[in-house]
Amino acid sequence: MPKSEPSGPAERAVIVALRVMVGWIFLWAAIHHYGNSAYVGAFLSSTKTFHPIYGALAQSPLLPVISFLVEYGHLLIGLSLIAGFMVRVSGPFAVLIMLLYWTAHMNFPYIDNPNYLLVDEHLIIAAVIVWLMIRRAGQVCGLDGLAARMAAVRGGARINVG
Protein backbone atom coordinates (compact mmCIF):
# COMPACT_ATOMS: atom_id res chain seq x y z
CA MET A 1 0.00 0.00 0.00
CA PRO A 2 1.49 3.37 -0.92
CA LYS A 3 2.23 5.73 1.91
CA SER A 4 -0.50 8.35 2.30
CA GLU A 5 1.09 11.69 3.24
CA PRO A 6 -0.87 14.83 4.17
CA SER A 7 -0.75 17.28 1.29
CA GLY A 8 0.03 20.47 3.18
CA PRO A 9 -0.03 22.41 6.45
CA ALA A 10 -3.80 22.93 6.37
CA GLU A 11 -4.49 19.20 6.07
CA ARG A 12 -1.90 18.46 8.77
CA ALA A 13 -3.65 20.93 11.09
CA VAL A 14 -7.04 19.35 10.40
CA ILE A 15 -5.62 15.87 11.03
CA VAL A 16 -4.13 16.89 14.36
CA ALA A 17 -7.26 18.79 15.40
CA LEU A 18 -9.60 15.89 14.55
CA ARG A 19 -7.28 13.34 16.17
CA VAL A 20 -7.12 15.33 19.42
CA MET A 21 -10.85 16.14 19.46
CA VAL A 22 -11.91 12.54 18.88
CA GLY A 23 -9.30 11.43 21.41
CA TRP A 24 -10.78 13.86 23.93
CA ILE A 25 -14.26 12.35 23.39
CA PHE A 26 -12.90 8.94 24.39
CA LEU A 27 -10.73 10.28 27.23
CA TRP A 28 -13.60 12.30 28.70
CA ALA A 29 -15.86 9.23 28.57
CA ALA A 30 -13.23 7.31 30.53
CA ILE A 31 -12.81 10.09 33.11
CA HIS A 32 -16.51 10.87 33.43
CA HIS A 33 -17.65 7.31 34.09
CA TYR A 34 -14.58 5.97 35.88
CA GLY A 35 -15.42 3.44 38.58
CA ASN A 36 -19.17 3.52 37.89
CA SER A 37 -20.17 0.08 36.65
CA ALA A 38 -23.81 1.04 37.27
CA TYR A 39 -23.53 3.51 34.39
CA VAL A 40 -22.65 0.76 31.91
CA GLY A 41 -25.43 -1.47 33.25
CA ALA A 42 -28.01 1.33 32.98
CA PHE A 43 -26.85 2.16 29.45
CA LEU A 44 -27.13 -1.48 28.35
CA SER A 45 -30.56 -1.83 30.00
CA SER A 46 -32.00 1.15 28.13
CA THR A 47 -31.35 -0.11 24.59
CA LYS A 48 -34.27 -0.67 22.23
CA THR A 49 -33.69 -2.32 18.83
CA PHE A 50 -31.07 -4.79 20.05
CA HIS A 51 -32.32 -5.04 23.63
CA PRO A 52 -32.27 -8.87 23.72
CA ILE A 53 -28.49 -8.70 23.25
CA TYR A 54 -27.55 -5.57 25.22
CA GLY A 55 -30.14 -6.14 27.97
CA ALA A 56 -28.79 -9.62 28.58
CA LEU A 57 -25.30 -8.15 28.98
CA ALA A 58 -26.65 -5.69 31.56
CA GLN A 59 -27.94 -8.61 33.64
CA SER A 60 -24.87 -10.76 33.08
CA PRO A 61 -22.38 -11.66 35.79
CA LEU A 62 -19.83 -10.36 33.27
CA LEU A 63 -20.99 -6.76 33.81
CA PRO A 64 -17.96 -5.85 35.95
CA VAL A 65 -15.66 -7.15 33.20
CA ILE A 66 -17.63 -5.30 30.53
CA SER A 67 -17.47 -2.10 32.62
CA PHE A 68 -13.72 -2.51 33.03
CA LEU A 69 -13.24 -3.02 29.29
CA VAL A 70 -15.42 0.00 28.48
CA GLU A 71 -13.62 2.28 30.95
CA TYR A 72 -10.09 1.28 30.09
CA GLY A 73 -10.86 0.90 26.39
CA HIS A 74 -12.02 4.50 26.31
CA LEU A 75 -8.95 5.56 28.29
CA LEU A 76 -6.44 3.78 26.05
CA ILE A 77 -8.11 4.88 22.81
CA GLY A 78 -8.29 8.48 24.05
CA LEU A 79 -4.64 8.55 25.07
CA SER A 80 -3.61 6.86 21.84
CA LEU A 81 -5.40 9.40 19.67
CA ILE A 82 -4.32 12.45 21.66
CA ALA A 83 -0.67 11.37 21.74
CA GLY A 84 -0.73 10.07 18.18
CA PHE A 85 0.64 6.73 19.39
CA MET A 86 -0.44 3.46 17.74
CA VAL A 87 -3.39 5.18 16.06
CA ARG A 88 -3.72 2.44 13.44
CA VAL A 89 -3.89 -0.14 16.24
CA SER A 90 -6.39 1.67 18.46
CA GLY A 91 -8.47 2.92 15.51
CA PRO A 92 -10.31 -0.33 14.74
CA PHE A 93 -11.28 -0.67 18.41
CA ALA A 94 -12.56 2.91 18.41
CA VAL A 95 -14.61 2.23 15.27
CA LEU A 96 -16.01 -0.95 16.86
CA ILE A 97 -17.06 0.96 19.98
CA MET A 98 -18.71 3.66 17.89
CA LEU A 99 -20.62 1.07 15.85
CA LEU A 100 -21.74 -0.69 19.04
CA TYR A 101 -22.96 2.64 20.48
CA TRP A 102 -24.72 3.36 17.20
CA THR A 103 -26.68 0.11 17.44
CA ALA A 104 -27.28 0.58 21.17
CA HIS A 105 -28.91 3.98 20.59
CA MET A 106 -31.00 2.67 17.72
CA ASN A 107 -34.78 2.65 17.78
CA PHE A 108 -34.89 1.51 14.17
CA PRO A 109 -34.91 3.38 11.84
CA TYR A 110 -34.19 6.28 14.19
CA ILE A 111 -31.07 6.75 16.21
CA ASP A 112 -31.67 8.11 19.71
CA ASN A 113 -34.49 10.44 18.52
CA PRO A 114 -36.61 11.14 15.42
CA ASN A 115 -34.17 13.82 14.23
CA TYR A 116 -31.63 11.16 13.24
CA LEU A 117 -32.62 8.71 10.54
CA LEU A 118 -29.98 5.94 10.48
CA VAL A 119 -27.06 8.38 10.80
CA ASP A 120 -25.85 10.05 13.99
CA GLU A 121 -22.63 11.26 15.56
CA HIS A 122 -21.41 7.72 16.26
CA LEU A 123 -21.24 6.89 12.55
CA ILE A 124 -19.63 10.24 11.78
CA ILE A 125 -16.98 9.73 14.48
CA ALA A 126 -16.34 6.20 13.17
CA ALA A 127 -15.85 7.61 9.65
CA VAL A 128 -13.45 10.27 10.99
CA ILE A 129 -11.43 7.56 12.77
CA VAL A 130 -11.21 5.51 9.57
CA TRP A 131 -10.01 8.62 7.72
CA LEU A 132 -7.43 9.29 10.45
CA MET A 133 -6.13 5.73 10.09
CA ILE A 134 -5.90 6.05 6.29
CA ARG A 135 -4.06 9.38 6.60
CA ARG A 136 -1.67 7.90 9.20
CA ALA A 137 -2.70 10.55 11.70
CA GLY A 138 -0.26 9.36 14.36
CA GLN A 139 2.61 10.36 12.13
CA VAL A 140 1.39 13.97 11.97
CA CYS A 141 2.68 15.71 15.12
CA GLY A 142 2.33 12.45 17.06
CA LEU A 143 4.45 9.81 18.71
CA ASP A 144 4.03 7.47 15.73
CA GLY A 145 5.94 10.00 13.61
CA LEU A 146 8.64 10.32 16.25
CA ALA A 147 9.00 6.54 16.46
CA ALA A 148 9.18 6.24 12.67
CA ARG A 149 12.04 8.73 12.59
CA MET A 150 14.07 6.99 15.27
CA ALA A 151 17.09 5.23 13.84
CA ALA A 152 16.53 2.09 15.92
CA VAL A 153 12.98 1.68 14.61
CA ARG A 154 14.10 2.17 11.00
CA GLY A 155 16.81 -0.42 11.50
CA GLY A 156 19.59 2.11 10.84
CA ALA A 157 21.28 1.66 14.19
CA ARG A 158 23.03 -1.51 15.26
CA ILE A 159 23.50 -2.37 18.89
CA ASN A 160 26.39 -4.65 19.76
CA VAL A 161 25.76 -6.81 22.74
CA GLY A 162 28.77 -8.40 24.36
Side-chain angles (χ1 to χ4, degrees), residues 34 37 39 41-42 57 73 77-78 83-85 89 99 106-107 118 136 156:
Y34 181 75
S37 63
Y39 176 82
L57 290 173
I77 291 167
F85 182 65
V89 173
L99 293 178
M106 187 177 287
N107 187 10
L118 293 178
R136 298 176 186 257

Side-chain angles (χ1 to χ4, degrees), residues 21-99:
M21 287 189 289
V22 172
W24 176 249
I25 291 170
F26 281 94
L27 187 59
W28 178 247
I31 293 167
H32 185 65
H33 304 297
Y34 181 75
N36 186 0
S37 63
Y39 176 82
V40 174
F43 176 81
L44 292 171
S45 295
S46 67
T47 59
K48 293 180 178 125
T49 299
F50 295 102
H51 187 73
I53 297 167
Y54 291 118
L57 290 173
Q59 304 303 321
S60 167
L62 294 175
L63 186 60
V65 174
I66 294 167
S67 294
F68 176 85
L69 291 174
V70 168
E71 288 174 10
Y72 287 96
H74 282 122
L75 177 68
L76 292 174
I77 291 167
L79 292 174
S80 169
L81 289 170
I82 290 171
F85 182 65
M86 297 179 63
V87 172
R88 293 177 73 197
V89 173
S90 66
F93 293 105
V95 169
L96 176 64
I97 287 174
M98 288 294 105
L99 293 178

Side-chain angles (χ1 to χ4, degrees), residues 147-160:
R149 288 188 296 276
M150 290 174 54
V153 173
R154 288 190 318 235
R158 299 280 185 234
I159 299 173
N160 293 327

Side-chain angles (χ1 to χ4, degrees), residues 43 104 121 134 137 145:
F43 176 81
E121 69 273 10
I134 291 169

